[in-house]
Amino acid sequence: MEVAEVAAGMAATSLGNPEGRVLRRITKIKKILEADVASWAGSRVLVGGWVKTGREQGKGSFAFLEVNDGSCLANLQVIIEASTYPLAELVPTGTSVLVEGELKPPPEGVKQRIELKVDQVLEVGPVGEKYPLPKTRLTLENLRDFMHLRARTNTISAVARIRDELAHATHAFFRQNGFRYIHTPIITTSDCEGAGEMFQATVLFSQAEKLAKEIKENPLPTESDVEAAKHVVKEKGDIVAQLKSTKASKAEITAAVAELNKAKETASRLEERSKLKPGIPVKADGGFSFDSDFFKKPAFLTVSGQLQVETYACAVGSVYTFGPTFRAENSHTSRHLAEFWMVEPEMAFATLEDDMDYAEEYVKFMCQWLLDNSREDMEFMVKNYDKTAIERLKLVASTPFARVSYTEAVEILMGVTDKKFENKVEWGIDLASEHERYLTEVIFKKPVIVYNYPKGIKAFYMRLNDDQKTVAAMDVLVPKVGELVGGSQREERLEILKQRILDADLPLEIYEWYLDLRRYGTVKHSGFGLGFERMILFATGLDNIRDVIPFPRYPGRADL
């Protein structure tokens, strides 16, 4: 079918369906601009978007609008005559329009390849006051103060499309490799990292606030109030006893018993209410009591879905989870967020070698995906932020990753003489970003996988190596960001895992379910986690992680 025929069908302003309802089909600007101009010319289309710039021409007889609908970076030039719609309502930046018209090639000598001659303006969302985003370029830092509008800028909309493509690539890669997508919980009672920097999920504070307000409006009963209620109960009881002793009528006794029961209920409620204490419930040892909390135990926002997704890896094989994770780390650096997304695959019957192979293939797949599907947005990043962004994607997509042990990496770094590191290099340290980037950018000049880390700097669930000093862990290091992926072969031996949990000063009882996976059909398995925002930083070349997530959360900021 010719593009023009497709366009005509896509642009139809009404489309019948079995229920007789009329549907409108909007054509995306990306679809128009990507196609051959000759095939679109003369087609009628319905376009909706926001005015980037608008200007009246011909002494107010017509106007040029640059309209963008977010489907791509480029705008569509729209021409509207004054006889079609009041131009003053259309030209302000930020105005939304839904227009219909005919696509035509522009006059020779102009940069546009095609333009839309509008003959119907169907909807207009006016800008009543001065548009908050100026036409002059705002810094990305300043844009964070306009969280609800920043997606209308070229940079943030480009990042959104790149992020979407990477999410699509993630699902495509794992689907092609036989993985199942598992939704792991956001609320958990397990600390995967053992770091303790978790957001607590509790209703204790709201309960305490509600109680304090209720007590203010309706003060608690005093001890004398309770005693008076008990005295009423005694009086009502004496009346019942007297009626029975005098053989009063059944009706009289029944009425008196009802009064007694009513007095008992009142006294019971008063006594129970008198025991209420404002504030958060506290145990005898001084710690918070969670008996009245929603889950009856401490619960948190997850820092990782890994432990939970392991339960499915040990049942259905290769799986992955992809969702938000949280860390209450009071960090203001350009590399940290309180809420971020993680991609976490887990493979049964897999060793550390398998883990490294999958991690390398996945990262390469995403880089190639962007080269194939996000060229316009990546070229924008090259022009405005990082001239090496596309070359970096090409390098990673096409180059085998280097692999060195942690011990070898430390020896290499200790031998460096042309640079003084801020963080001292010695065996046993957790490599800092400067060390990671030096290895990948200077020493190897390509991605590097470092494996077999000291057990003291890694999580309890990582498999202990035979040397008893290191664990079967690995990190994928890439230019620009350093660590992009962290993973390991998991500890499948029950007694060793028990001891590792205890050595980490974690309570054994809350991990009994995790230990059960080793008690009942244990299996060697491996997995890794990729910080999704770090992948976007690596791809785009942007410097601050707060600019690659739609709604960044960090200390002091949780807008919208």
Side-chain angles (χ1 to χ4, degrees):
M1 181 180 290
E2 292 294 323
V3 175
E5 292 178 85
V6 175
M10 291 289 288
T13 55
S14 63
L15 180 67
N17 65 18
E19 298 177 0
R21 186 165 58 91
V22 175
L23 302 176
R24 293 187 305 193
R25 189 66 61 86
I26 294 175
T27 302
K28 293 297 183 181
I29 291 174
K30 176 182 173 72
K31 189 175 183 68
I32 295 171
L33 299 180
E34 282 184 343
D36 178 60
V37 174
S39 61
W40 276 102
S43 301
R44 288 191 61 78
V45 294
L46 181 68
V47 171
W50 289 264
V51 175
K52 286 281 190 173
T53 61
R55 65 187 189 279
E56 295 185 34
Q57 295 285 295
K59 297 181 179 180
S61 61
F62 67 95
F64 288 113
L65 307 180
E66 291 289 325
V67 176
N68 188 279
D69 64 359
S71 62
C72 63
L73 191 64
N75 306 322
L76 177 65
Q77 180 163 283
V78 172
I79 304 171
I80 302 178
E81 294 183 353
S83 59
T84 303
Y85 202 89
L87 301 182
E89 297 180 24
L90 301 176
V91 294
T93 297
T95 302
S96 71
V97 294
L98 180 65
V99 295
E100 186 176 0
E102 183 178 334
L103 290 169
K104 294 183 177 182
E108 291 186 12
V110 299
K111 65 178 182 178
Q112 289 81 10
R113 295 173 57 245
I114 197 166
E115 59 188 20
L116 178 62
K117 180 69 165 58
V118 169
D119 52 41
Q120 288 190 70
V121 177
L122 303 175
E123 294 179 17
V124 175
V127 175
E129 300 176 1
K130 185 180 178 181
Y131 193 55
L133 300 182
K135 292 181 181 180
T136 55
R137 183 173 172 179
L138 283 176
T139 65
L140 294 178
E141 183 178 4
N142 287 338
L143 275 178
R144 293 178 212 137
D145 292 330
F146 300 94
M147 200 67 66
H148 56 302
L149 294 174
R150 70 174 188 163
R152 298 190 189 183
T153 64
N154 288 339
T155 297
I156 301 303
S157 64
V159 170
R161 287 185 293 271
I162 290 170
R163 185 183 178 99
D164 171 65
E165 289 295 343
L166 287 172
H168 192 145
T170 293
H171 292 299
F173 174 83
F174 289 114
R175 174 65 66 177
Q176 291 175 18
N177 284 278
F179 284 68
R180 293 293 181 183
Y181 180 29
I182 307 299
H183 298 158
T184 50
I186 288 176
I187 297 176
T188 179
T189 56
S190 303
D191 182 358
C192 177
E193 300 297 326
E197 297 170 335
M198 303 177 75
F199 287 102
Q200 191 142 18
T202 178
V203 297
L204 291 178
F205 291 96
S206 59
Q207 286 177 345
E209 186 177 13
K210 182 179 178 181
L211 177 60
K213 182 179 179 181
E214 198 271 335
I215 288 174
K216 184 177 180 180
E217 296 174 352
N218 184 17
L220 296 178
T222 63
E223 186 176 343
S224 60
D225 293 332
V226 174
E227 288 302 317
K230 289 181 178 180
H231 181 70
V232 171
V233 171
K234 184 177 183 307
E235 288 181 341
K236 298 295 184 182
D238 290 344
I239 292 173
V240 170
Q242 182 180 0
L243 289 172
K244 288 182 177 179
S245 66
T246 59
K247 297 182 179 181
S249 68
K250 184 177 180 180
E252 288 179 303
I253 295 175
T254 300
V257 168
E259 288 292 319
L260 173 61
N261 289 337
K262 186 176 179 181
K264 285 181 177 180
E265 290 176 8
T266 300
S268 177
R269 284 197 301 269
L270 283 174
E271 187 170 20
E272 187 69 26
R273 184 169 163 73
S274 71
K275 296 176 182 178
L276 292 176
K277 295 181 179 179
I280 307 296
V282 178
K283 297 185 293 187
D285 63 3
F288 289 146
S289 171
F290 292 91
D291 292 343
S292 63
D293 205 0
F294 191 89
F295 296 107
K296 311 300 182 187
K297 65 174 85 169
F300 309 90
L301 299 185
T302 185
V303 297
S304 168
Q306 178 213 310
L307 298 187
Q308 288 85 356
V309 86
E310 279 188 52
T311 66
Y312 275 77
C314 295
V316 297
S318 296
V319 296
Y320 72 104
T321 184
F322 178 16
T325 54
F326 309 84
R327 183 162 296 174
E329 185 176 0
N330 190 23
S331 173
H332 294 266
T333 74
S334 62
R335 291 164 52 87
H336 291 92
L337 289 168
E339 178 183 322
F340 51 98
W341 284 61
M342 291 291 293
V343 180
E344 298 175 291
E346 202 74 25
M347 298 81 71
F349 305 100
T351 64
L352 181 63
E353 283 290 330
D354 300 316
D355 203 34
M356 291 190 286
D357 289 344
Y358 269 116
E360 179 172 344
E361 290 176 24
Y362 172 46
V363 173
K364 285 183 173 180
F365 185 90
M366 286 193 292
C367 291
Q368 189 60 52
W369 186 282
L370 288 183
L371 291 170
D372 293 340
N373 297 282
S374 294
R375 178 64 68 163
E376 181 190 37
D377 288 322
M378 286 306 307
E379 288 174 351
F380 172 82
M381 293 298 164
V382 167
K383 180 181 178 182
N384 293 278
Y385 294 99
D386 187 344
K387 298 186 186 307
T388 64
I390 290 179
E391 289 307 312
R392 191 166 55 245
L393 290 178
K394 289 179 178 178
L395 170 72
V396 175
S398 61
T399 308
F401 292 8
R403 298 188 183 188
V404 295
S405 71
Y406 169 88
T407 300
E408 291 170 324
V410 168
E411 289 173 353
I412 291 171
L413 291 168
M414 290 179 69
V416 171
T417 58
D418 62 347
K419 177 179 174 60
K420 182 174 177 60
F421 295 113
E422 293 182 10
N423 300 277
K424 184 180 178 181
V425 180
E426 58 185 355
W427 199 95
I429 67 163
D430 196 357
L431 297 180
S433 178
E434 60 173 336
H435 305 139
E436 296 167 344
R437 293 188 61 176
Y438 194 87
L439 286 169
T440 184
E441 295 174 5
V442 180
I443 299 296
F444 292 98
K445 295 181 172 61
K446 63 179 180 179
V448 184
I449 302 180
V450 180
Y451 60 91
N452 289 345
Y453 280 79
K455 68 177 183 179
I457 61 173
K458 290 296 183 180
F460 68 88
Y461 51 76
M462 298 185 177
R463 194 179 199 274
L464 187 65
N465 287 328
D466 293 340
D467 62 11
Q468 302 296 304
K469 296 191 304 180
T470 62
V471 289
M474 66 89 183
D475 288 341
V476 177
L477 314 180
V478 296
K480 181 70 179 176
V481 298
E483 181 192 339
L484 179 63
V485 173
S488 73
Q489 183 173 337
R490 315 311 189 190
E491 183 58 77
E492 86 282 4
R493 297 163 293 185
L494 177 62
E495 294 306 318
I496 294 178
L497 181 58
K498 273 186 180 179
Q499 190 57 50
R500 292 276 287 151
I501 293 173
L502 293 173
D503 290 345
D505 290 326
L506 295 170
L508 206 60
E509 58 272 15
I510 68 172
Y511 294 100
E512 283 298 329
W513 64 270
Y514 191 63
L515 294 169
D516 276 351
L517 299 179
R518 280 73 179 170
R519 292 188 181 104
Y520 311 120
T522 191
V523 59
K524 286 184 178 179
H525 59 289
S526 299
F528 62 82
L530 175 139
F532 197 57
E533 283 73 32
R534 285 199 177 184
M535 179 63 204
I536 305 170
L537 279 181
F538 163 76
T540 62
L542 293 179
D543 293 322
N544 199 308
I545 200 167
R546 298 170 184 176
D547 300 319
V548 298
I549 189 169
F551 305 101
R553 273 80 175 97
Y554 49 96
R557 294 294 293 266
D559 298 346
L560 279 65

